[in-house]
Amino acid sequence: MFELFNPRRNDQSLLAAGPNRWDWILLPLVLVVLAALAFGAMQMTRPFIVGQATPISLDPVYLPYYLLRTILRMFTALGCSLLFSLAFAAIAAKYRAAEKVMIPLLDILQSVPILGFQAIAIAPFIALFPGNLLGVECAAIFAIFTSQAWNMAFSLYQSMRTVPPELLEASRVFRLSAWQRFWRLELPFAMPGLLWNMMMSMSGGWFFLVAAEAISVAGQDIRLPGIGAYIAAAIEAENGRAIAWSICAMLAGILLYDQLFFRPLLAWADKFRFEESQGDTAQHSWLLDWGRRSRWIRALTDRFWEAMRGALGWFSVQADGSSVQARPRKFSRLLARAWDVLVPLASLLALVSLVVFVHGDVGWGEAAHVVGLGTITLLRVLLLIALASVVWVPIGVWIGLRPQYSQRVQAVAQFLAAFPVNLMFPLVVYLLVTLKLNANIWLSPLMVFGTQWYILFNVVAGASTIPNELRLATDNLGLKGWLKWKRVYLPAVFPAYITGAITASGGSWNASIVAEYVTWGKTTLVADGLGSYIKQMTDVGDFHRIALGIGVMCVFVMLLNRFFWRKLYLLAEDRSR
C-alpha cells in the first residue's frame, strides 16, 4: 500500500515506462524554448566597451531576434520582481514595525521614475562587468524590474492582510508556523490576484521598454538590441512602417508568452479557489492539458512538489502543550518603542538633508517652481484615475464574473496594456499640430493610457474570486441593478480595486515623464508638469534638478498615498473582515 502511493516510486515507474505520444509532441517545443534561451543568454554576455556604437537595424528581418532579447530581459525582471514581492509582502504583513517603514518606502520607490533609477544604476552595473555587455543588460533588467515589482508587492501584501479570519484560526488550530502558513494559506489565497498582477507587470515592462533599452543619460547613448530600441530608432527616423512592424512583433510576443506561460498558470491556479464547485468558471490551457498527459512532465513535476512538501517542514512549530498566543514574543515592548522613535528621527534627518540640498544646490525659487509643476501633475493624475475607474470597474467586474470571456480577452487586455505610449506619438503630434490643440490638456490622457490597466486587471482578479455560492444567494434574494452592485459586487472587489488604483496612481506619475514630453522626429510637444521637467533635466544632464524633481514627485506620491489611498486601503481591509 505504501509503495502504491510513494511519489518517488511513481516517478520511477513513469520514467521506466518510456515516453508516450504527448512526450514526443512536447519535446520539440521544449527543445526550441531551451535553445532560444541559451542563444539569447549567450548574446547578453558579449564584449562591450562604453562609447561603442550599438546600431539598431529597422529591417523587420531582425525583429524575431530583438523580440527574443526583450522577452528574456522581461522574464528575468519578472522573476526578480516575484522574489522581491514574496519577501516584501511576508515581512510587511507580519511585522507591524517593519510595515511602518516598508509601505511608505514602497510608495517612494513606485514614484521614482525609471529615468531616475537608470541615472543611479547604470554606472555601477557597467563597473561591475567591465568590458562586457552584461553590465548594460543588468541595468536594463533593473529598469524593467522597477516597472514591474511594486504592483506585485502591493497585491500580495493586500491579499495577505485580507485573509478571512476563519482561515487564520484554522491555521492556528493546526499549529502551522509562520513559514507553513505563508506557503499553505496566504500565498495560495493571494495567487489569483498575484497572477493577474504578474500579467500587468509584463505589460508595464512593455510600456517603459523604450526607456529601458534606449538608455540616454547625460549625453551617453546606449541601445540594446530589442523591441524598445527598435521603436526608439523608428521614432527618430519617423518611419511609420517600422512602427507597424514593431506592433506586430509585440502582439506575437504577447500571444506566445500568454499561451506558453500565463494561460497554463491561471488554469493551474484554479485549484486555489476557496470554493468547492467551479463549474464552468474554470480556466483551461491546452499546454497544461498536454503536460498532465505527458509521463516525463508528470514525473518531473511530482519530484518537484515532493521536494516542496519537504521544505514545508522547515521551521515547524513543535507541540509542547502550550498555546501559541501564550508564548513569549521575540521582540520586547522596549525594542518596539525604540523603533517608533528611530523612524521619526530618520524622517527628520531626511527632511533636514532635503532643506540643505535645496538651499545650497538649487535655490528656493526653483523648488517652489517644481512644487507648482507637481501640483499640475497631481490634478491630472486624480482626474484621470477617477475617469479610468468609472470606465473600467464595471467592465472588470463583468469580465471577472465570466471566465469564459476573460480567457478570450486576456491576451487582448495584455496587448492593450503593453502598448507603449511612444507608438502613439506620430498620431498625437499630427493631431495636436494640425488642429492646434493645447498640449497641456490633450497630452494628459497619455499619462493614464498605460496605467489604467492596473485597475482593470485587479478588478478582474477580485471579481473572479467571488464565490459561486454568494452569486447564487444574490440571485435567490432577487437583488438586481444598483442594489446588487452596492451590496455585493463593489464591496467584493473594493480591496482589489484599491490595490489597482494605488499602483495606477503611482504609475501615472511615472508615465508623466513620457506623456508630458512628446517627440516625433524634429517636432517636440511639451506640457507643463513635473514629468516634462524631469525629462528635460535628464536630457541636459543636470543631476541636481533631476534629484529635485524626483524628490518632489516622491513627496507628492507619499502625501497622496498617506492621506487618501491609505484611508481607503484601511477601509477595504476592515470591510474584508
Side-chain angles (χ1 to χ4, degrees):
M1 192 67 154
F2 172 78
E3 293 180 350
L4 180 64
F5 293 98
N6 186 354
R8 188 178 300 277
R9 183 178 179 84
N10 290 339
D11 295 345
Q12 293 173 353
S13 62
L14 286 173
L15 293 174
N20 58 16
R21 62 190 180 103
W22 298 104
D23 292 309
W24 291 114
I25 292 174
L26 287 173
L27 182 61
L29 178 62
V30 173
L31 292 178
V32 167
V33 171
L34 291 178
L37 292 176
F39 175 74
M42 181 177 64
Q43 295 298 312
M44 294 172 71
T45 58
R46 298 176 61 183
F48 173 78
I49 300 175
V50 177
Q52 176 181 340
T54 54
I56 301 297
S57 173
L58 294 182
D59 190 334
V61 174
Y62 291 93
L63 277 175
Y65 171 64
Y66 292 161
L67 181 63
L68 171 64
R69 295 286 295 272
T70 291
I71 290 179
L72 276 179
R73 295 186 193 107
M74 294 180 70
F75 269 99
T76 303
L78 186 68
C80 296
S81 300
L82 180 60
L83 294 176
F84 168 82
S85 301
L86 294 175
F88 178 93
I91 297 172
K94 294 178 182 296
Y95 300 104
R96 292 288 184 179
E99 181 187 29
K100 295 177 181 178
V101 176
M102 296 178 70
I103 297 303
L105 179 61
L106 195 60
D107 294 338
I108 295 174
L109 290 174
Q110 74 163 341
S111 63
V112 176
I114 189 173
L115 296 177
F117 284 112
Q118 276 186 340
I120 298 172
I122 185 170
F125 278 119
I126 292 177
L128 189 62
F129 300 97
N132 197 296
L133 189 63
L134 188 59
V136 186
E137 291 282 356
C138 288
I141 291 170
F142 178 73
I144 298 172
F145 165 86
T146 62
S147 67
Q148 293 181 341
W150 321 132
N151 66 299
M152 292 171 57
F154 263 125
S155 171
L156 187 55
Y157 166 78
Q158 176 262 332
S159 297
M160 292 179 64
R161 292 297 303 271
T162 56
V163 174
E166 58 271 18
L167 295 179
L168 293 174
E169 182 64 27
S171 69
R172 287 190 287 267
V173 170
F174 286 104
R175 306 187 65 83
L176 297 183
S177 64
W179 171 264
Q180 293 170 323
R181 185 168 64 250
F182 176 78
W183 292 105
R184 288 192 176 275
L185 172 60
E186 293 165 342
L187 184 58
F189 179 81
M191 189 62 68
L194 180 61
L195 286 179
W196 279 94
N197 274 278
M198 286 174 65
M199 288 192 292
M200 185 61 228
S201 291
M202 285 292 289
S203 300
W206 284 102
F207 188 79
F208 293 104
L209 199 61
V210 174
E213 293 182 349
I215 303 172
S216 179
V217 179
Q220 179 65 47
D221 189 9
I222 303 175
R223 292 189 176 180
L224 293 171
I227 300 297
Y230 185 91
I231 293 173
I235 291 175
E236 288 184 2
E238 300 185 54
N239 191 328
R241 180 175 296 181
I243 288 181
W245 279 114
S246 67
I247 294 174
C248 294
M250 281 178 50
L251 179 59
I254 291 170
L255 288 174
L256 275 175
Y257 66 66
D258 175 69
Q259 293 294 318
L260 300 181
F261 186 75
F262 285 118
R263 188 66 60 86
L265 277 181
L266 286 173
W268 168 78
D270 267 336
K271 65 173 69 177
F272 300 122
R273 291 170 61 94
F274 285 89
E275 53 180 309
E276 295 181 359
S277 61
Q278 294 180 3
D280 60 352
T281 64
Q283 296 269 355
H284 299 284
S285 167
W286 59 269
L287 183 60
L288 185 64
D289 292 339
W290 289 7
R292 285 169 174 168
R293 296 168 184 170
S294 166
R295 290 175 181 170
W296 286 359
I297 297 296
R298 284 176 54 197
L300 292 174
T301 54
D302 286 345
R303 288 188 177 182
F304 172 78
W305 291 118
E306 179 65 19
M308 287 294 294
R309 282 190 289 270
L312 287 176
W314 301 348
F315 314 113
S316 59
V317 176
Q318 300 297 325
D320 57 4
S322 64
S323 171
V324 176
Q325 288 85 352
R327 295 178 183 176
R329 301 291 182 184
K330 295 181 179 180
F331 299 99
S332 65
R333 293 183 178 180
L334 181 61
L335 184 59
R337 291 178 181 177
W339 181 256
D340 290 338
V341 173
L342 182 62
V343 172
L345 287 178
S347 302
L348 181 61
L349 179 61
L351 180 61
V352 172
S353 301
L354 178 62
V355 171
V356 172
F357 166 74
V358 171
H359 182 74
D361 294 319
V362 294
W364 291 104
E366 183 72 8
H369 171 65
V370 174
V371 170
L373 296 177
T375 304
I376 296 174
T377 302
L378 171 64
L379 295 176
R380 288 196 182 108
V381 169
L382 292 177
L383 177 61
L384 293 170
I385 293 298
L387 292 176
S389 300
V390 171
V391 173
W392 293 113
V393 168
I395 295 176
V397 172
W398 189 89
I399 295 174
L401 295 177
R402 296 166 178 81
Q404 66 273 21
Y405 292 105
S406 69
Q407 294 184 67
R408 298 175 186 175
V409 304
Q410 182 176 312
V412 177
Q414 289 184 73
F415 175 72
L416 293 175
F419 198 87
V421 70
N422 312 70
L423 297 180
M424 299 184 65
F425 285 177
L427 178 62
V428 170
V429 171
Y430 174 78
L431 291 177
L432 266 65
V433 172
T434 303
L435 302 179
K436 299 181 180 179
L437 300 176
N438 190 336
N440 285 312
I441 297 175
W442 296 104
L443 286 181
S444 299
L446 295 178
M447 288 176 56
V448 78
F449 181 81
T451 58
Q452 60 186 336
W453 312 106
Y454 288 107
I455 298 175
L456 175 63
F457 276 54
N458 278 277
V459 171
V460 169
S464 65
T465 60
I466 298 177
N468 286 333
E469 290 79 3
L470 178 60
R471 296 163 58 183
L472 293 174
T474 301
D475 294 336
N476 291 334
L477 292 174
L479 296 182
K480 296 181 180 180
W482 170 243
L483 184 61
K484 189 175 185 179
W485 280 83
K486 180 180 178 181
R487 296 296 184 185
V488 181
Y489 292 158
L490 292 181
V493 303
F494 189 60
Y497 163 74
I498 294 300
T499 299
I502 291 176
T503 50
S505 175
S508 296
W509 284 94
N510 211 325
S512 66
I513 295 176
V514 182
E516 294 177 349
Y517 191 91
V518 174
T519 301
W520 173 246
K522 298 180 180 180
T523 304
T524 300
L525 299 177
V526 180
D528 295 329
L530 193 53
S532 62
Y533 177 86
I534 295 175
K535 173 62 176 175
Q536 293 175 71
M537 295 302 106
T538 301
D539 289 342
V540 301
D542 191 336
F543 289 100
H544 289 96
R545 283 172 173 75
I546 293 173
L548 175 64
I550 293 174
V552 170
M553 184 175 287
C554 292
V555 171
F556 268 98
V557 174
M558 284 189 62
L559 293 177
L560 181 63
N561 287 358
R562 179 66 179 85
F563 294 104
F564 181 70
W565 293 118
R566 186 62 178 171
K567 301 295 184 183
L568 294 178
Y569 202 95
L570 294 175
L571 177 63
E573 184 178 317
D574 292 338
R575 288 200 170 188
S576 66
R577 295 180 181 277

